[in-house]
Amino acid sequence: MGRMLGLALVALSILALLGGLVVWAFSQVLHTSAATVVVAVFVLVVLLLFARGLVRGLRGSAGALGDLMVAASRVETGDYTARVRESGPADVRRLARAFNAMSTRLEADADDRRQLLADVSHELRTPLSVIQGNVEGILDGLYPADQAHLEPILDEIGLLERLVDDLRTLSLAETGGLRLHREPTEIGELLGEVVAAFEARARAAGVTLRREATAALPTLDLDPTRMHQVLGNLVANALRVTPSGGEIVLAAMRAQATLRIEVRDTGPGIAADVLPHVFDRFYRAGDSTGSGLGLPIARSLVEAHGGTIGALAPAAGGTTVAIDLPLPG
């Protein structure tokens, strides 16, 4: 250990001597002071070290930037599965992370578009088949052009019209293009209008439909037509699953900083594995007869009002759909 230390001291002494000779030689040649030469040499060394570090940094970034360029070319051609390694300097890692997040979002959007096209094609196939079959039968003389054979055609055309309207509403709401015509709206009166609109249908199904609202409900600035559409959709869904002798309640109450509207039914309830998906587009449980667009549209319209909507399966049974709308001020 002592021998190694001695050798190190000798080496440092030699380097110091050589450095001093270099400084003296430069001062003689440049006709300047040794101190100035020392400063100049120090600055030169610092610049050389900085350049060396910069080159190393560029070398470390070159591979990551090359991967980004290749991946960007793949995304440009429609390959949204492209990902890059998050390596290199901090800025390059952040860029790679942002690129991967962008690719993930683009891939998810592409999957959603493909699924939407598949779902729309499936929904259009049945009514178009009914229309085509009946029209061809009439033209071929197999069926008379009477009410019994023309009414199914009109029914399927109405179904197609509703499907197109639903898709348009959903598209506008999800892209922020839906215009709301807001006006001061009494929530109690709105619930009463929905009950009145479905009262006859509920009576025919043997289901009790009633309103339950506290007296001191605030007036909200919302689009009454769109909110009527939301509540009507929820009541229609509840009527499809509530057996004769059951009950559907439209309730409204204050809940902290929101006004809560609930649609509660005494139907069979929603299975735990189905509950997280009820607001997905075209999602339907095995026994559902709807288009699978009603609840997604309801969610989009509620969110357009700045609110939230969710489905619950109370322990007592049935289903509760709760809407929370922000209170003014």
Side-chain angles (χ1 to χ4, degrees), residues 54-65 87-89 92:
L54 181 61
V55 169
R56 285 182 175 178
L58 290 175
R59 286 176 178 173
S61 303
L65 291 175
S87 60
V92 177

Side-chain angles (χ1 to χ4, degrees), residues 12-275:
L12 288 174
S13 298
I14 293 172
L15 288 174
L17 179 60
L18 290 174
L21 290 173
V22 170
V23 170
W24 177 82
F26 270 100
S27 65
Q28 296 301 313
V29 172
L30 299 175
H31 304 288
T32 185
S33 66
T36 303
V37 174
V38 170
V39 173
V41 171
F42 176 77
V43 171
L44 180 60
V45 170
V46 171
L47 289 175
L48 289 174
L49 291 175
F50 176 77
R52 184 181 180 186
L54 181 61
V55 169
R56 285 182 175 178
L58 290 175
R59 286 176 178 173
S61 303
L65 291 175
D67 291 343
L68 274 169
M69 293 176 64
V70 172
S73 298
R74 290 172 57 189
V75 170
E76 184 182 9
T77 61
D79 181 7
Y80 302 130
T81 63
R83 302 291 187 275
V84 294
R85 292 179 293 106
E86 298 178 11
S87 60
D91 289 341
V92 177
R93 291 199 304 272
R94 284 195 293 269
L95 179 61
R97 195 176 303 119
F99 178 88
N100 289 336
M102 178 195 69
S103 296
T104 301
R105 178 63 181 271
L106 289 173
E107 185 180 13
D109 289 344
D111 290 341
D112 286 344
R113 285 194 299 270
R114 284 192 291 268
Q115 186 61 47
L116 178 61
L117 288 174
D119 291 336
V120 171
S121 299
H122 176 75
E123 292 297 323
L124 293 176
R125 188 175 297 115
T126 299
L128 288 176
S129 297
V130 173
I131 294 171
Q132 181 179 5
N134 280 278
V135 171
E136 288 179 349
I138 292 173
L139 292 176
D140 292 340
L142 299 176
Y143 308 139
D146 57 11
Q147 183 175 357
H149 292 89
L150 291 176
E151 277 189 353
I153 296 175
L154 288 176
D155 291 341
E156 297 303 323
I157 290 174
L159 177 61
L160 288 175
E161 185 178 9
R162 288 193 299 274
L163 178 61
V164 171
D165 286 343
D166 287 347
L167 286 170
R168 181 175 180 275
T169 300
L170 186 61
S171 175
L172 289 173
E174 289 185 345
T175 58
L178 184 67
R179 295 182 60 185
L180 297 178
H181 301 283
R182 294 177 179 266
E183 60 183 67
T185 303
E186 296 286 345
I187 299 300
E189 293 182 5
L190 179 62
L191 298 187
E193 292 172 2
V194 175
V195 169
F198 286 89
E199 195 169 19
R201 192 189 308 182
R203 189 183 305 111
V207 175
T208 301
L209 176 62
R210 63 183 180 87
R211 178 186 63 170
E212 183 181 284
T214 58
L217 289 177
T219 298
L220 295 187
D221 189 34
L222 51 80
D223 187 328
T225 301
R226 291 299 188 184
M227 197 54 62
H228 190 288
Q229 179 182 356
V230 170
L231 296 176
N233 192 299
L234 299 180
V235 171
N237 287 345
L239 280 171
R240 279 197 290 266
V241 299
T242 304
S244 179
E247 183 182 54
I248 299 173
V249 178
L250 272 75
M253 71 289 292
R254 283 178 176 267
Q256 296 182 350
T258 66
L259 185 141
R260 169 162 290 194
I261 302 174
E262 293 183 348
V263 178
R264 305 192 293 259
D265 67 60
T266 56
I270 302 176
D273 59 330
V274 173
L275 199 59

